[in-house]
């Protein structure tokens, strides 16, 4: 019966850890982002990470270039950088996406057309972390 009690305690602890919501303090890159008009939330349940937010950039980004917007998210489990689907951009066709690196950085990747100073991007995505 003591072994069953131990096993029950282990399972109870595992269940509470799997269902616990951990909130990450993500830092917006204030040299590339207007922080007063931007926000980001990052929560983790088990190995599932949920990120959502809005970013207003303070630097233009040429087509096929990247701009770091934040750091501090959990590392994705994939061996390469994780890329999101297209994200919404105000007043234009959505041709941009985000990348999450192994060191927890989030980068904005611009495709097809230049992103201008003051452009606003909205995003929401999930991924599996280590």
């Amino acid at each position: 019966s003591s072994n069953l009690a131990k096993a029950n305690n282990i399972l109870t602890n595992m269940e509470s850890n799997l269902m616990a919501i951990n909130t990450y303090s993500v830092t917006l890159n204030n040299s590339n982002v207007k922080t007063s008009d931007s926000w980001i939330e990052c929560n983790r349940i088990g190995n599932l990470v949920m990120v959502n937010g809005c970013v207003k950039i303070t630097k233009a980004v040429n087509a096929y270039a990247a701009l770091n917007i934040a750091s501090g998210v959990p590392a994705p489990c994939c061996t390469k950088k994780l890329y999101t689907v297209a994200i919404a951009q105000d007043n234009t066709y959505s041709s941009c996406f985000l990348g999450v690196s192994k060191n927890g950085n989030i980068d904005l990747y611009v495709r097809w057309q230049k992103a201008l100073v003051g452009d606003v991007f909205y995003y929401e995505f999930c991924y599996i972390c280590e």
Side-chain angles (χ1 to χ4, degrees), residues 108-127:
L108 170 70
Y109 288 88
V110 177
R111 297 294 184 258
W112 305 114
Q113 62 189 25
K114 182 177 184 173
L116 304 175
V117 171
D119 279 357
V120 178
F121 299 86
Y122 299 91
Y123 48 90
E124 181 175 52
F125 62 96
C126 296
Y127 65 95

Side-chain angles (χ1 to χ4, degrees), residues 11-81:
L11 289 173
T12 301
N13 288 338
M14 286 176 60
E15 182 181 19
S16 64
N17 287 337
L18 286 174
M19 296 312 295
I21 298 175
N22 298 307
T23 300
Y24 285 75
S25 178
V26 180
T27 304
L28 289 167
N29 184 337
N30 61 7
S31 63
N32 298 332
V33 172
K34 186 170 182 186
T35 55
S36 61
D37 293 339
S38 304
W39 57 274
I40 186 168
E41 292 179 346
C42 178
N43 295 295
R44 176 179 172 173
I45 300 175
N47 286 56
L48 178 65
V49 178
M50 293 146 291
V51 179
N52 69 323
C54 168
V55 66
K56 184 175 188 176
I57 60 173
T58 59
K59 292 182 179 175
V61 185
N62 288 324
Y64 298 99
L67 183 71
N68 176 261
I69 61 168
S71 61
V73 297
C77 68
C78 52
T79 57
K80 307 278 187 207
K81 184 175 253 190

